[in-house]
């Protein structure tokens, strides 16, 4: 490799890393994060189609998330993906990045070959990031692009896990912490889900979320009729848990 080619690869790598940084830094909601990662996949691999396929082990199917370039296909956001048995088996057995050449997918408009990269969280496979419809096949085969593509996996796993946490937060806060959601909704010009914004805030500014939770906790105890003395005991018990953390499952 000549010096000029090596310099070009370095510059391309830096450009991709900067794009990835922007995608994470400027994300307001979980959905935005997923779409930015999928969009970055198409830009990196010079492809026209991409999506996340989230694995549902119990139902043995994939759920489509953040599809790009798949408007004329049955692949719809948040909907289960029906696949022929052969392609289903390939994806379920996939444990590393793999190129799937043409196969009868039963999905009109789906472009092959497809590059599929498994996404893991804490050692468990939770889905695949897939992309296809290469504008220039040599670009999607480029070793440097493939290596940069693999860098997307940990960011996807983080965002996906935040999606699950967001759903739990939304249920919990809607039922038990209306003050927290009302606070999160203030200034919400984009009508994004308040729980998702709260989740993003918890990553960027955990101190703010903790204070909101503490205020909500106090108000719930106060409404239930507990005196300031009782609430002080609760605060003292929290400090005790910090000094002597209880074991998991302990009452």
């Amino acid at each position: 490799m000549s010096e000029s080619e090596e310099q070009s690869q370095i510059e391309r790598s830096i450009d991709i890393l900067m794009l990835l940084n922007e995608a994470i830094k400027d994300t307001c909601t979980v959905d935005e994060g997923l779409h930015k990662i999928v969009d970055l996949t198409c830009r990196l691999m010079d492809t026209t189609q991409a999506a996340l396929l989230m694995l549902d082990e119990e139902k043995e199917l994939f759920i489509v998330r953040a599809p790009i370039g798949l408007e004329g296909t049955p692949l719809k956001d948040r909907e289960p993906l029906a696949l022929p048995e052969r392609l289903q088996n390939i994806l379920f057995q996939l444990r590393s990045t793999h190129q799937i050449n043409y196969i009868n997918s039963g999905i009109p408009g789906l472009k092959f070959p497809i590059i599929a990269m498994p996404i893991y969280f804490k050692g468990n496979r939770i889905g695949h990031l897939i992309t296809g419809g290469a504008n220039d096949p040599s670009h999607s085969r480029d070793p440097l692009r493939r290596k940069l593509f693999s860098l997307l996996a940990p960011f996807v796993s983080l965002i996906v896990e935040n999606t699950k946490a967001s759903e739990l937060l939304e249920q919990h806060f809607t039922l038990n912490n209306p003050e927290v959601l009302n606070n999160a909704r203030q200034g919400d010009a984009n009508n994004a889900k308040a729980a998702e914004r709260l989740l993003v805030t918890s990553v960027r500014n955990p101190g703010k979320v903790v204070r909101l939770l503490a205020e909500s906790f106090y108000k719930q105890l106060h409404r239930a009729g507990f005196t300031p003395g009782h609430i002080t005991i609760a605060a003292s018990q929290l400090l005790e848990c910090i000094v002597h953390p209880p074991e998991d499952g302990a009452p």
Side-chain angles (χ1 to χ4, degrees):
M1 182 186 298
S2 67
E3 184 176 343
S4 61
E5 290 175 332
E6 184 176 0
Q7 181 64 30
S8 177
Q9 285 196 348
I10 292 174
E11 291 176 354
R12 194 192 320 161
S13 301
I14 293 174
D15 288 343
I16 293 299
L17 291 174
M18 290 180 67
L19 287 171
L20 182 57
N21 175 64
E22 291 176 6
I24 300 300
K25 181 183 65 175
D26 297 333
T27 293
C28 292
T29 69
V30 171
D31 281 344
E32 285 180 10
L34 295 178
H35 279 89
K36 285 183 178 181
I37 290 293
V38 174
D39 177 66
L40 181 56
T41 296
C42 287
R43 295 165 69 178
L44 170 61
M45 303 303 289
D46 193 19
T47 50
T48 58
Q49 296 181 338
L52 282 161
L53 303 182
M54 306 315 304
L55 181 60
D56 187 328
E57 292 277 10
E58 292 184 3
K59 298 181 180 179
E60 295 187 347
L61 53 76
F62 292 97
I63 305 297
V64 180
R65 291 305 313 271
I68 288 181
L70 296 163
E71 292 80 5
T73 74
L75 279 74
K76 306 298 181 184
D77 193 25
R78 298 178 183 271
E79 293 189 6
L81 177 60
L83 293 171
E85 185 177 358
R86 185 183 174 193
L87 183 54
Q88 181 96 336
N89 290 338
I90 290 174
L91 290 173
F92 264 92
Q93 295 171 13
L94 203 59
R95 293 296 184 273
S96 60
T97 301
H98 180 71
Q99 179 169 304
I100 304 172
N101 294 315
Y102 179 78
I103 186 173
N104 184 11
S105 67
I107 302 176
L110 188 62
K111 299 178 181 178
F112 287 86
I114 289 173
I115 301 171
M117 177 174 62
I119 304 300
Y120 290 89
F121 185 81
K122 295 182 179 179
N124 296 317
R125 187 172 53 118
I126 58 176
H128 298 294
L129 177 58
I130 66 168
T131 187
N135 291 311
D136 184 339
S138 66
H139 288 172
S140 59
R141 291 194 299 265
D142 180 65
L144 178 61
R145 289 178 185 265
R146 292 286 184 102
K147 289 180 181 178
L148 291 171
F149 179 53
S150 68
L151 290 178
L152 299 179
F155 289 95
V156 175
S157 65
L158 174 63
I159 292 174
V160 168
E161 277 304 304
N162 282 352
T163 303
K164 296 178 181 178
S166 172
E167 292 170 354
L168 293 175
L169 280 172
E170 187 171 8
Q171 295 174 14
H172 177 75
F173 290 144
T174 299
L175 293 173
N176 302 309
N177 297 280
E179 294 85 3
V180 176
L181 277 178
N182 288 335
N183 189 297
R185 287 193 180 98
Q186 291 179 5
D188 187 3
N190 296 321
N191 295 319
K193 290 183 179 179
E196 290 185 353
R197 288 195 173 277
L198 182 64
L199 182 65
V200 174
T201 302
S202 70
V203 175
R204 295 178 178 172
N205 188 358
K208 179 179 180 181
V209 173
V210 170
R211 287 192 294 272
L212 289 172
L213 290 173
E215 290 176 8
S216 179
F217 179 55
Y218 166 81
K219 291 177 181 178
Q220 289 188 53
L221 290 178
H222 180 69
R223 287 172 184 160
F226 290 99
T227 67
H230 293 141
I231 298 174
T232 301
I233 293 174
S236 176
Q237 183 61 33
L238 284 174
L239 293 174
E240 178 66 21
C241 289
I242 295 173
V243 177
H244 302 292
E247 296 181 1
D248 290 341

